[in-house]
Amino acid sequence: MTEKLILFLARGLGSGLLRPAPGTWGSLTAVLLGGVCYFLTKQGLPLWFILIAAGLGIFICDQGEKYLQKHDAPELVWDEFVGMWIAMWQVPVWLWPVSFFLFRFFDISKIGPIKTIQDLDGGLGIMADDVLAGIASRLILAAVMMFI
């Protein structure tokens, strides 16, 4: 039971099993979940939830990696969920597509420290690069939002 639950979460509720580009499918699923939360609460995902998801993500991704016996397997997309939620945090809905494309750009290109931080062991390394990609995306969006 525990292994199945961990893999279900690590695989982004199954979105990480979609091909091609499981990371992109995971990111799109994260946007959808964020959208459901936004339309139910009119506030979007709260920061406390994102921080808890990030902390739990270290464990979830670490265990998922162990169960699959493969380092940072493409189907592990919980890290994309968290990175995408960081990129979307308190961003107007009409800018969500921009947050999606920025996050995917940083996640795929692995510019600067985003590349080196993923070398950390286990779930921490899996999560860290996507958290940084989400932060980089959110900082750019913050600058954009200052001018709109």
Side-chain angles (χ1 to χ4, degrees), residues 25-131:
W25 288 110
S27 298
L28 284 170
T29 303
V31 172
L32 178 66
L33 292 172
V36 168
C37 180
Y38 177 81
F39 290 110
L40 289 175
T41 67
K42 301 298 183 222
Q43 296 178 350
L45 291 169
L47 185 58
W48 64 264
F49 178 86
I50 297 168
L51 293 173
I52 290 171
L56 287 175
I58 295 169
F59 173 77
I60 289 167
C61 291
D62 189 66
Q63 291 302 301
E65 183 177 73
K66 287 177 183 171
Y67 291 143
L68 296 173
Q69 298 179 353
K70 183 175 181 186
H71 175 63
D72 203 0
E75 66 195 75
L76 299 177
V77 297
W78 184 263
D79 51 331
E80 269 81 10
F81 274 31
V82 173
M84 193 65 240
W85 291 337
I86 292 168
M88 294 169 56
W89 181 66
Q90 293 193 335
V91 171
V93 173
W94 63 273
L95 278 176
W96 286 3
V98 177
S99 67
F100 173 81
F101 286 111
L102 282 170
F103 173 71
R104 293 309 298 148
F105 169 76
F106 284 115
D107 187 34
I108 292 167
S109 68
K110 308 264 190 249
I111 295 172
I114 297 171
K115 180 169 181 55
T116 56
I117 201 163
Q118 74 177 358
D119 293 336
L120 294 169
D121 288 334
L124 183 60
I126 294 170
M127 288 296 300
D129 67 310
D130 291 86
V131 167

Side-chain angles (χ1 to χ4, degrees), residues 3-39:
E3 181 177 339
K4 287 182 180 183
L5 177 61
I6 293 289
L7 285 174
F8 180 69
L9 294 172
R11 290 173 169 155
L13 314 182
S15 63
L17 297 173
L18 298 173
R19 299 288 184 264
T24 300
W25 288 110
S27 298
L28 284 170
T29 303
V31 172
L32 178 66
L33 292 172
V36 168
C37 180
Y38 177 81
F39 290 110

